[in-house]
C-alpha cells in the first residue's frame, strides 16, 4: 500500500520509467511463454527448446539490469530526513524499492500472459487467421506450473538483484541490530578504484576464443541471434556471454582510464574537473558502458556477417534484439542520471563559488568525448574479432 501511495505522488518521468520496466517485463515474459509454447508443441525437439530458453536469458538479464537501475534512481525510495523516525531507514527503503519494482515486473508479466493467450486463441478464437498458431504452439496445452514459474522468474530475479545491491555501511556508534546502518547525515566515503580490469580482459579474450571455436568449420553461417533462436550453437551463446561479462567487468577500469587520460599533459581546470568526476563515477557508469559495448559489438558483427543480403531474423529474434538493445541503452542513460543526481550538490557548490555554468557543460562534453574515444575503438575491435572466424 505504501508503494502505491508513493507511486501516485511520483514525477511523470519516474512513472514513465516504471512503465518502461513493465513494458520490458512484458516483452521478456512473452519470449519465455513462446519458448514454453514451442516446447509443448514440439516435444521431439528438446535440444532446440532448451537453446531457445537459454537465449531468452539474455533479454532477461538486460531487463533485470534496467529494472535495478530504475529502482536505484527512484526518488521515492531515497533516504530522506524524518523517514528513519517512522522505521523507514536505508535498509527498509531498499526493501520497498525491491517490492515496488517486482510489482511493476509482475504487471508486465500479466500483460504478456494475456497477449500470449489471445494470440494462441485460448481466450476468444485465433486472431490474424491463425498466423501465430504454429509459432506459439497453439495445438498443445500449456502446463500451468511451468507458466507460473516462467512468469515469476523476472520479478524474483529483480527483487533478488536489488537485495544484493543494497550494501549498507556501518557507521561509528551504530549498534548491532539497528534497522538503519547508515545515518542520513553521514558523508559517503570516496569511491575505491576499480580492480576488475585484468579479469575483464581475460574473460573477454576467453569469450572471443569460444566464439572462434564455435564458428570453426561453419564458414558463411551467421551465428549472432539467428532467425529462429534454435539454429545457433550453444557455444556461441557461451562465448558471447563470457565476452559481455568480461566487458562489464572491465568497464569501470576503462572508465577510470578515460578519466586519467583527460588529466594528462598539464590539464586546465575544466579537464581536471572532468577527469576527476569521471574517475569518481567509474564504478557507477562503467559496467553499463561495458554491457552496451558488448551489445553494440554483437550488432556490428551481425551486420558484418549478413552484409546487405536477406536476414533470416524471425519475429521473436527481433523482439529479443529490441529488448536487449533498448534495455542496455536505457540502463546506461539511467545510470548517467543517477551519477548526475549524486554530484548535484558538488555542482551547486561550484556555482556558488563562482564557477561559470559553461565550464560545467564543457566538463560534461569532455567526459562524453573521452568515453567515446576509449569505448568506440574497443567496440569495433571486439566486433571484428567476433566476426572474423566466419568471414575469413
Amino acid at each position: 500500500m505504501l508503494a502505491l501511495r508513493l507511486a501516485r505522488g511520483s514525477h511523470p518521468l519516474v512513472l514513465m520509467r516504471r512503465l518502461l520496466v513493465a513494458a520490458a517485463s512484458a516483452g521478456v515474459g512473452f519470449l519465455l511463454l513462446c519458448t514454453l509454447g514451442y516446447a509443448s508443441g514440439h516435444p521431439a525437439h528438446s535440444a532446440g527448446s532448451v537453446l531457445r530458453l537459454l537465449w531468452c536469458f539474455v533479454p532477461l538479464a538486460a531487463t533485470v539490469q534496467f529494472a535495478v537501475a530504475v529502482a536505484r534512481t527512484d526518488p521515492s525510495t531515497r533516504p530522506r530526513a524524518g523517514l528513519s523516525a517512522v522505521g523507514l531507514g536505508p535498509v527498509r527503503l531498499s526493501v520497498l524499492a525491491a517490492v515496488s519494482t517486482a510489482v511493476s515486473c509482475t504487471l508486465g508479466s500479466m500483460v504478456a500472459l494475456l497477449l500470449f493467450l489471445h494470440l494462441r486463441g485460448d481466450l476468444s478464437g485465433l486472431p490474424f487467421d491463425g498466423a501465430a498458431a504454429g509459432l506459439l504452439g497453439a495445438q498443445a496445452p500449456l502446463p500451468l506450473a511451468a507458466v507460473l514459474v516462467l512468469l515469476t522468474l523476472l520479478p524474483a530475479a529483480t527483487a533478488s538483484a536489488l537485495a544484493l545491491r543494497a550494501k549498507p555501511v556501518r557507521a561509528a556508534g551504530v549498534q548491532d541490530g539497528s534497522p538503519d546502518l547508515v545515518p542520513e547525515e553521514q558523508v559517503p566515503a570516496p569511491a575505491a578504484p576499480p580492480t576488475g580490469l585484468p579479469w575483464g580482459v581475460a574473460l573477454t579474450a576467453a569469450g572471443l576464443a569460444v566464439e572462434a571455436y564455435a564458428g570453426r568449420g561453419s564458414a558463411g553461417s551467421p551465428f549472432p541471434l539467428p532467425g529462429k533462436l534454435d539454429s545457433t550453437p550453444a557455444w556461441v551463446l557461451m562465448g558471447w556471454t563470457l565476452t559481455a561479462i568480461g566487458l562489464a567487468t572491465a568497464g569501470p577500469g576503462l572508465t577510470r582510464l578515460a578519466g586519467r587520460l583527460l588529466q594528462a599533459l598539464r590539464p586546465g581546470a575544466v579537464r581536471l574537473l572532468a577527469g576527476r568526476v569521471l574517475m569518481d563515477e567509474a564504478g557507477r557508469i562503467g559496467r553499463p558502458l561495458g554491457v552496451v559495448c558488448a551489445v553494440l559489438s554483437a550488432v556490428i558483427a551481425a551486420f558484418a556477417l549478413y552484409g546487405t543480403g536477406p536476414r533470416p531474423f524471425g519475429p521473436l529474434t527481433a523482439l529479443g534484439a529490441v529488448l536487449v538493445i533498448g534495455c542496455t541503452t536505457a540502463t546506461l542513460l539511467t545510470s548517467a542520471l543517477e551519477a548526475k543526481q549524486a554530484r548535484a550538490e558538488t555542482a551547486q557548490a561550484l556555482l556558488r563559488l563562482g564557477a561559470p555554468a559553461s565550464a560545467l557543460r564543457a566538463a560534461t562534453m569532455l567526459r562524453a568525448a573521452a568515453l567515446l574515444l576509449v569505448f568506440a575503438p574497443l567496440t569495433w575491435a571486439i566486433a571484428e574479432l567476433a566476426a572474423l572466424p566466419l568471414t575469413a
Side-chain angles (χ1 to χ4, degrees), residues 3-26:
L4 293 177
R5 288 182 178 272
L6 291 175
R8 287 177 55 191
S10 299
H11 193 273
L13 290 179
V14 177
L15 293 177
M16 184 183 70
R17 290 200 295 267
R18 291 180 178 175
L19 288 177
L20 288 177
V21 170
S25 174

Side-chain angles (χ1 to χ4, degrees), residues 13-377:
L13 290 179
V14 177
L15 293 177
M16 184 183 70
R17 290 200 295 267
R18 291 180 178 175
L19 288 177
L20 288 177
V21 170
S25 174
V28 173
F30 187 78
L31 284 178
L32 292 172
L33 290 174
C34 289
T35 301
L36 178 61
Y38 178 85
S40 300
H42 303 81
H45 300 164
S46 58
S49 300
V50 171
L51 191 56
R52 280 171 172 253
L53 182 61
L54 291 177
W55 271 112
C56 289
F57 280 99
V58 177
L60 175 66
T63 304
V64 169
Q65 184 192 29
F66 176 48
V68 171
V70 169
R72 287 171 59 88
T73 56
D74 194 340
S76 63
T77 57
R78 192 177 304 148
R80 294 187 296 273
L83 289 182
S84 296
V86 295
L88 290 177
V91 176
R92 294 186 179 178
L93 281 177
S94 64
V95 175
L96 179 63
V99 173
S100 302
T101 309
V103 169
S104 299
C105 294
T106 304
L107 175 62
S109 298
M110 293 300 103
V111 173
L113 178 60
L114 292 176
L115 178 62
F116 179 75
L117 293 178
H118 173 66
L119 292 178
R120 275 173 52 94
D122 294 335
L123 297 180
S124 59
L126 281 173
F128 307 113
D129 297 328
L135 186 64
L136 306 181
Q139 69 279 5
L142 291 176
L144 179 60
V147 171
L148 293 178
V149 168
L150 291 179
L151 290 181
T152 57
L153 190 60
L154 179 60
T158 303
S160 301
L162 281 171
L164 291 175
R165 289 294 296 270
K167 298 179 180 178
V169 181
R170 186 174 303 280
V174 179
Q175 301 295 328
D176 292 337
S178 173
D180 302 327
L181 299 182
V182 181
E184 294 173 0
E185 64 273 7
Q186 183 186 3
V187 178
T195 58
L197 184 57
W199 288 103
V201 173
L203 286 173
T204 303
L208 291 173
V210 171
E211 291 183 19
Y213 172 79
R216 185 179 58 178
S218 58
S221 176
F223 59 84
L225 290 176
K228 295 186 178 180
L229 296 179
D230 56 353
S231 59
T232 295
W235 286 103
V236 174
L237 176 60
M238 184 182 300
W240 186 86
T241 302
L242 285 175
T243 302
I245 294 175
L247 290 174
T249 304
L254 293 174
T255 305
R256 188 176 179 86
L257 175 62
R260 286 189 175 275
L261 290 177
L262 279 176
Q263 301 173 74
L265 301 176
R266 303 177 63 180
V270 175
R271 275 207 294 145
L272 187 62
L273 174 62
R276 292 287 183 176
V277 171
L278 201 56
M279 291 175 63
D280 187 62
E281 295 174 353
R284 182 178 285 114
I285 66 175
R287 289 184 179 86
L289 267 173
V291 175
V292 171
C293 178
V295 172
L296 290 180
S297 64
V299 173
I300 296 173
F303 275 101
L305 291 170
Y306 285 112
T308 58
R311 295 172 176 83
F313 291 154
L316 297 184
T317 299
L319 176 60
V322 169
L323 284 173
V324 172
I325 296 174
C327 287
T328 52
T329 304
T331 301
L332 178 59
L333 296 177
T334 306
S335 300
L337 176 63
E338 182 185 9
K340 181 180 179 181
Q341 293 173 351
R343 65 174 184 270
E345 295 183 1
T346 303
Q348 292 297 327
L350 289 175
L351 292 176
R352 287 194 300 268
L353 291 175
S358 60
L360 299 182
R361 291 193 294 268
T364 302
M365 296 178 62
L366 278 177
R367 290 196 298 272
L371 291 176
L372 187 64
L373 180 64
V374 171
F375 281 92

Side-chain angles (χ1 to χ4, degrees), residues 208 376-386:
L208 291 173
L378 177 64
T379 302
W380 178 83
I382 295 296
E384 290 295 324
L385 289 175

